Amino acid sequence: MLLEKPARQRGFKKERLHRVLLNHADGDLTRYALAQAADVSTSWCYDYLDQLESERLIEDTTVQNLETLYERWLESRIEPNSVRVSLQQPLQKIRAANLEYALTTDEAEQLHQGFLFASTTAIYVREADIEAWLHLVAETGLVGGGNTELRATDEHVFYNAMTVDDATTVSIPQLIVDLLDEGGPAVEAANRLMYRYHGRSDE
């Protein structure tokens, strides 16, 4: 069973900047602070922000068009590497593992909003902890198919992670883009969460 973060690095910069922008959509960070939080060069960051501003997606660092910016993030998103496993009471085992994680997709949506039935427990894990997670699965679960997905990707995915009901989830913007990527009913859940989180009407 192999799990490692994607070898491709090129799209990570855009993903990081989209993540930070949408976590601070009201413009509370300067351009320099955005570059620092996204861990990208200021010159690249300013050029990309200029491009987004020319397309009227942002004004300075304030997001003007939520839906289109989320679409841009989805387009630049690098698919995480993942393995599916079966665990009994997965959330309980994950909490008890004493390893860093961040829930996403339907289990995380259930904690924040409660629109989707939580059929899968998907978590992002740290690269340094992969072997420990795989050992946990080997000891207490089954590999292949199943109700739990372990994901590995750029560790900036943990940016602004949140604690809800004694569980750690990704930030709301990260959850939204992950739900959009799932398709089906998850898209409606993502749209509901988008308007609720950003405090803007969907009328």
Side-chain angles (χ1 to χ4, degrees):
M1 181 170 47
L2 179 65
L3 180 65
E4 57 187 15
K5 78 175 188 180
R8 179 184 166 196
Q9 304 285 326
R10 190 172 179 184
F12 283 159
K13 288 198 298 185
K14 281 188 180 179
E15 266 214 273
R16 289 176 182 179
L17 193 55
H18 290 149
R19 185 179 295 116
V20 175
L21 260 177
L22 285 161
N23 267 279
H24 304 277
D26 292 334
D28 54 315
L29 293 184
T30 64
R31 288 186 163 210
Y32 179 77
L34 281 175
Q36 294 294 108
D39 194 20
V40 298
S41 70
T42 52
S43 59
W44 181 88
C45 177
Y46 293 3
D47 285 346
Y48 189 60
L49 292 175
D50 285 344
Q51 179 185 327
L52 295 178
E53 192 162 32
S54 71
E55 297 172 33
R56 299 185 179 179
L57 301 185
I58 64 171
E59 183 177 335
D60 191 19
T61 63
T62 302
V63 176
Q64 300 295 313
N65 190 322
L66 283 171
E67 295 89 345
T68 303
L69 195 58
Y70 273 106
E71 287 172 13
R72 288 294 180 81
W73 184 358
L74 193 59
E75 290 166 5
S76 67
R77 182 177 182 270
I78 295 176
E79 197 70 25
N81 286 336
S82 64
V83 294
R84 292 292 291 257
V85 301
S86 293
L87 293 173
Q88 287 189 339
Q89 299 179 306
L91 196 50
Q92 183 177 325
K93 281 191 170 65
I94 288 164
R95 284 180 174 134
N98 291 321
L99 296 167
E100 195 169 357
Y101 70 92
L103 283 163
T104 190
T105 66
D106 46 351
E107 184 84 60
E109 190 278 340
Q110 178 63 223
L111 287 170
H112 285 285
Q113 181 173 243
F115 179 74
L116 295 173
F117 173 71
S119 60
T120 304
T121 302
I123 62 169
Y124 289 101
V125 302
R126 295 281 189 186
E127 188 173 16
D129 294 335
I130 286 174
E131 288 305 315
W133 283 110
L134 297 182
H135 178 73
L136 173 72
V137 171
E139 291 291 312
T140 65
L142 299 168
V143 179
N147 58 0
T148 306
E149 181 180 19
L150 307 181
R151 298 182 173 193
T153 189
D154 179 23
E155 294 194 359
H156 195 267
V157 75
F158 284 90
Y159 179 80
N160 245 10
M162 307 169 71
T163 301
V164 183
D165 293 341
D166 200 32
T168 304
T169 77
V170 292
S171 67
I172 298 294
Q174 181 67 50
L175 176 56
I176 290 169
V177 81
D178 285 345
L179 289 168
L180 289 171
D181 189 59
E182 290 287 298
V187 173
E188 184 177 351
N191 287 328
R192 286 170 176 253
L193 199 55
M194 186 188 307
Y195 296 117
R196 181 178 167 187
Y197 172 72
H198 291 287
R200 306 184 191 184
S201 173
D202 59 347
E203 299 297 326

